[in-house]
Amino acid sequence: MSGLLEKKRQIRQEILASVRKLDPERRYDFDLKIQNAFLNSDFFRSSKHLALYFPLPEEVSTSVIFERCILLGKKIAFPKVCLDSGKLDFYWVGSLKDLSKTRWGVKEPKASSAKLSTPHELDLIVVPGLAFDEKKYRLGRGKGFYDRTLEHFTGYKVSLAYSIQIVSEVPREAWDINVDSIISENECIS
């Protein structure tokens, strides 16, 4: 295994362990604080069509954001992995009942959801990750789906993170795409 891949693997393990150690009540408070900061941002207020992710156990919740989007009449899409292209396709979702768990444990839109023709129909994408740095690079789960999808995306990209997920430097490669902002319970890096 190359040095870069080993460093990525090590950071992923350390961050996952740290997030899993967070007290559930404290983590819930962090989730609310992070989501409220997102909801009060200019990039959220100006967006009309956005993509969220359904969080894996170690990721910041998006449930409050989803509920507010519904109340405000914003159109919401969720990603679905397309193994053929190695990218993500996005589907409009009007209810969390429109999502189903895949064999990998990820909730994705059901086949009956309306597919977007291109991610460029979105003006904001909330991008998950495991680790982040001050230059707004992210370390995901290692499959590159978001990097390939975001390569030509011109809208706003934001990540939600716990402050313990922000490291001095994320190891990166030429194809890694950074986000425009990272919101944690302590700060917004823009």
Side-chain angles (χ1 to χ4, degrees):
M1 183 179 291
S2 78
L4 187 65
L5 291 177
E6 176 58 27
K7 184 160 176 98
K8 286 182 176 186
R9 187 194 63 74
Q10 182 180 1
I11 290 172
R12 283 186 185 103
Q13 284 182 334
E14 290 171 5
I15 295 296
L16 285 170
S18 295
V19 172
R20 288 174 182 147
K21 288 179 189 172
L22 280 175
D23 173 72
E25 284 184 34
R26 193 166 182 214
R27 188 167 165 202
Y28 177 78
D29 290 342
F30 289 166
D31 281 355
L32 288 178
K33 194 170 185 181
I34 293 165
Q35 290 179 88
N36 283 325
F38 174 86
L39 292 169
N40 289 315
S41 68
D42 289 338
F43 48 81
F44 171 73
R45 284 196 289 266
S46 66
S47 70
K48 291 180 177 46
H49 306 98
L50 65 151
L52 298 175
Y53 60 86
F54 193 90
L56 290 170
E58 300 82 13
E59 294 172 342
V60 174
S61 175
T62 59
S63 62
V64 173
I65 296 169
F66 181 81
E67 291 168 13
R68 181 74 58 85
C69 288
I70 295 295
L71 287 172
L72 294 173
K74 293 181 185 268
K75 288 191 80 171
I76 311 148
F78 278 81
K80 186 173 191 165
V81 171
C82 179
L83 293 175
D84 292 339
S85 69
K87 294 183 179 182
L88 300 169
D89 290 330
F90 290 90
Y91 293 77
W92 297 120
V93 171
S95 165
L96 294 180
K97 292 177 183 173
D98 295 335
L99 303 175
S100 62
K101 195 174 275 193
T102 67
R103 63 181 175 195
W104 300 287
V106 177
K107 284 198 175 186
E108 291 185 339
K110 293 178 181 174
S112 59
S113 301
K115 182 180 173 185
L116 280 70
S117 59
T118 170
H120 295 292
E121 293 180 50
L122 299 165
D123 38 46
L124 172 66
I125 297 179
V126 181
V127 184
L130 291 175
F132 306 88
D133 67 22
E134 296 286 331
K135 293 181 181 173
K136 298 172 286 203
Y137 281 94
R138 54 177 279 284
L139 180 62
R141 303 229 172 219
K143 304 295 183 206
F145 293 117
Y146 272 93
D147 290 315
R148 285 188 291 279
T149 303
L150 297 173
E151 184 178 6
H152 300 291
F153 180 68
T154 57
Y156 204 83
K157 306 172 297 287
V158 61
S159 289
L160 311 177
Y162 303 112
S163 59
I164 59 171
Q165 292 177 280
I166 299 173
V167 299
S168 59
E169 185 177 30
V170 168
R172 60 183 178 267
E173 299 180 64
W175 54 81
D176 288 332
I177 305 291
N178 64 341
V179 295
D180 299 300
S181 292
I182 300 166
I183 299 174
S184 78
E185 73 276 13
N186 295 329
E187 64 182 328
C188 179
I189 302 169
S190 291

